[in-house]
Amino acid sequence: QVQLVESGGGLVQAGGSLRLSCAASGSIFRIVPMRWYRQAPGKQRELVAQVTAGGSTNYADSVKGRFTISRDNAKNTVYLQMNSLKPEDTGVYYCNAPIGALGTWGQGTQVTVSS
């Protein structure tokens, strides 16, 4: 069973940066795409970024040019580097792997961007 544990969230001023990490257990990590989602208060969870097993990436339009997703298969870890943060980036950020009927999710990490 794969488990995902996020870290790196916090409070930052607008224009600042944060790097989120998601540590995964299990060797299957290396062969599945990994995703970061976020959920703002009162809003639906949305896909922020994805990295395939081969390293190809794609992003939500709202974060293109500011966020970078990457993975280190040797460490079973996926990262989300967030630069030029805006107050609208505030939310709980979740790591996701498409494993199991409902996917596998981490517990989430809070990101708060103050204006």
Side-chain angles (χ1 to χ4, degrees), residues 12-14 87 113-115:
V12 65
Q13 288 189 330
V113 184
S114 63
S115 57

Side-chain angles (χ1 to χ4, degrees), residues 16-70:
S17 298
L18 284 173
R19 188 175 83 152
L20 306 183
S21 299
C22 172
S25 63
S27 58
I28 195 173
F29 169 86
R30 297 184 175 91
I31 62 171
V32 298
M34 295 296 296
R35 300 159 181 156
W36 284 99
Y37 285 78
R38 69 184 179 192
Q39 187 164 20
K43 294 188 177 181
Q44 288 189 331
R45 196 170 294 188
E46 63 173 346
L47 178 63
V48 174
Q50 172 178 282
V51 58
T52 67
S56 297
T57 59
N58 51 64
Y59 300 91
D61 288 343
S62 58
V63 307
K64 280 180 182 175
R66 299 188 298 121
F67 290 11
T68 302
I69 188 171
S70 61

Side-chain angles (χ1 to χ4, degrees), residues 45-95:
R45 196 170 294 188
E46 63 173 346
L47 178 63
V48 174
Q50 172 178 282
V51 58
T52 67
S56 297
T57 59
N58 51 64
Y59 300 91
D61 288 343
S62 58
V63 307
K64 280 180 182 175
R66 299 188 298 121
F67 290 11
T68 302
I69 188 171
S70 61
R71 65 192 299 159
D72 184 337
N73 287 341
K75 296 182 178 179
N76 274 16
T77 302
V78 62
Y79 303 98
L80 186 68
Q81 177 67 43
M82 305 186 296
N83 299 327
S84 302
L85 282 161
K86 304 176 181 180
E88 51 262 45
D89 295 318
T90 293
V92 180
Y93 283 69
Y94 298 91
C95 182

